Amino acid sequence: MQKKMRISAELSKLAFISCAAVVLLSVFVTTHPVENAEKPNPLPKEMFSLSGLGFNWKNLSCPACKAFFTILDIALLTDENEERVARAVGEACIRLHLADAEVCRQITELFRNDFIRALQYSLLWPSEACALLVGPSCGKFDLYAPWNVTLPKVTKPPVTPPSPPPPGSPQSRVLFLTDIHWDQEYAAGSSADCKEPLCCRNESNAPVWHHREAGYWGTYSKCDLPLRTVKNLLEDVARTGPWDWVYWTGDIPAHNVWSQTRKQQLSALSIISRLIHKNLGPNVTVYPAIGNHESTPVNSFPPPFVHGNRSMSWLYNTMAEEWAPWLPEQALKTLRYAGFYSVLVQPGLRLVSLNMNFCARENFWLMVNSSDPANQLQWMVHILQASEDLGEKVHIIGHIPPGLCLSSWSWNYYHILNRYESTITGQFFGHTHLDEFQMFYDEETMTRPLGVAFIAPSATTYINLNPGYRVYFVDGNYKGSSRLVVDHETYILNLTEVNHKRPGYGGAVSIPDPSPKWSRLYRATEAYGLSTLFPSDWDRLLRGFVDDDRVFQRFWYLMHKGHVSAPCKDTCKTSLLCFLRSGKYDELQQCDLLNGFGGDMALAARKTLC
């Protein structure tokens, strides 16, 4: 009997280590994007495999996997095993070399309560866990099973292809900010090549010989921004206004996800929100959306049915307080409820701000129930139908692009976009830190372009990028306006120049520029020879990428905000073309399989979540 108990204990330990890999994969693989600018292939296999660390779920047999998770489920029925689970998670993190020992200990402590509680609520069966980890031959993964929103029984209006605005028509100038990632511990002169997931910090120590050091205004490495660069950005956009309004799609805190507290997250939220308000002034309205880094633990956004200390009221209520100068009370009401809202921007133009954390696989609370969390998409359908009835156009903003969402959520979003293609005239996202887009086509033929999701570049340098921001030119406020994007510009702070200004002719020592200037990197219509930026224009450009490699390499350069070390060829190019064409996750998978990536590219694309 004692021997059986010892065997059971050892199996439990192995099961807990298995659970640890799930947790740490979610944090260290999907939270930190691959260093795109240094590697020509933007979607490498290392992003979704731990084979380089001596561990791979595919090497685990199906019976062993089911045995592990059977024991894990039994163990998690009792609260006293939580401490044991936490110890095993930390041990697995260290043994698998997923991070430094101290980072492993901190991330384990930070995630333990919420993750274990979500796992308990989810009733994760061994066959489901092993189908996800080992493959479909080992079971069926039903946690994220298909579901459908209900569309009104109203006939879709006839579709009229968009036409260019009449000459001299007014335009709205819209500032777009995303992924600021302010690092409160950024330290110029510290190591930019540290072993932690985030460098250029006080704790990164001084650089050793042949290693790089953190620059004054930012660094081409796995580093976020100092506050002075954020302030400089906001001072620049204040000077280059006026702005009709601003879209801001989240991710305020830095990438030190292993050591963040609620107090720190709220402090960053308040400081950056007030800085934006101070610089842009009281007459410019800012419309925010929530990023995946606003919470701690990162990606942890329990739906509204979770109450008490584990609910999101600590974050949503503070957002409502800070954003009250910009949003009406009705919008603040749904913001407090679940982090999304709708508001009338101008007569004839409505905005929907989505909480895209309810579509993210990395949000482990969706293991409990992933079917339209908070009824957000059903709510959006009601908004869209009302707007269609009133003749309004609608812009949608959010953090994570819908093409990187859970399959069912992505499918439903795509379906909604098809139904309301004449009403939805703009989609604006961030999250990848890169300058990209994703296409949407009619569901019947998948050939007629009907929408494009603009994915704007980040303010942060993470990873190996220049700081940047986006300006959209939208068909303006007049009767019959399409409210479509007619052009856009990207602005950057060239770190090579501003960190190394020579004090005079022949000066041997470089110093940072005390008053750096942001410069326009490109204007879309000029860079790509387009007359407008309608979905049909982007579709033609995408098709042109296949044969005109010169134009594609230009896009690759601009995609990385003017800082990329190698061209994108062969597999890199094919995988990126798949990503750009796939506004729906299932389409990304199909494109992936048709081009011989065996599902790897689709997984890697999803795991570039920042």
Side-chain angles (χ1 to χ4, degrees), residues 52 143 393 410 464 561:
L143 281 181
K393 302 300 183 183
S410 182
N464 295 320
K561 292 183 283 183

Side-chain angles (χ1 to χ4, degrees), residues 450-496:
L450 54 80
V452 56
F454 294 98
I455 305 173
S458 63
T460 186
T461 56
Y462 196 97
I463 299 174
N464 295 320
L465 300 168
N466 284 308
Y469 66 86
R470 166 65 55 78
V471 179
Y472 289 105
F473 298 91
V474 177
D475 196 10
N477 187 17
Y478 63 93
K479 185 177 181 180
S481 172
S482 68
R483 304 289 184 166
L484 288 162
V485 173
V486 294
D487 212 342
H488 69 62
E489 296 176 336
T490 292
Y491 288 79
I492 64 166
L493 187 65
N494 189 319
L495 292 180
T496 302

Side-chain angles (χ1 to χ4, degrees), residues 63-140:
C65 179
K66 290 183 177 180
F68 290 164
F69 276 89
T70 297
I71 296 167
L72 178 61
D73 282 354
I74 294 172
L76 288 176
L77 293 175
T78 57
D79 291 341
E80 56 266 25
N81 277 325
E82 288 188 18
E83 187 66 36
R84 189 177 177 195
V85 170
R87 286 198 303 270
V89 167
E91 180 183 349
C93 175
I94 296 170
R95 288 187 177 185
L96 294 172
H97 305 292
L98 296 181
D100 173 78
E102 183 59 28
V103 173
C104 284
R105 283 190 288 270
Q106 291 186 53
I107 199 71
T108 299
E109 187 62 30
L110 181 62
F111 271 72
R112 54 179 286 188
N113 292 332
D114 280 8
F115 179 81
I116 291 173
R117 194 66 62 215
L119 197 60
Q120 288 173 328
Y121 289 163
S122 72
L123 299 176
L124 185 67
W125 291 97
S127 60
E128 293 173 324
C130 296
L132 175 65
L133 298 174
V134 178
S137 62
C138 197
K140 185 177 181 181

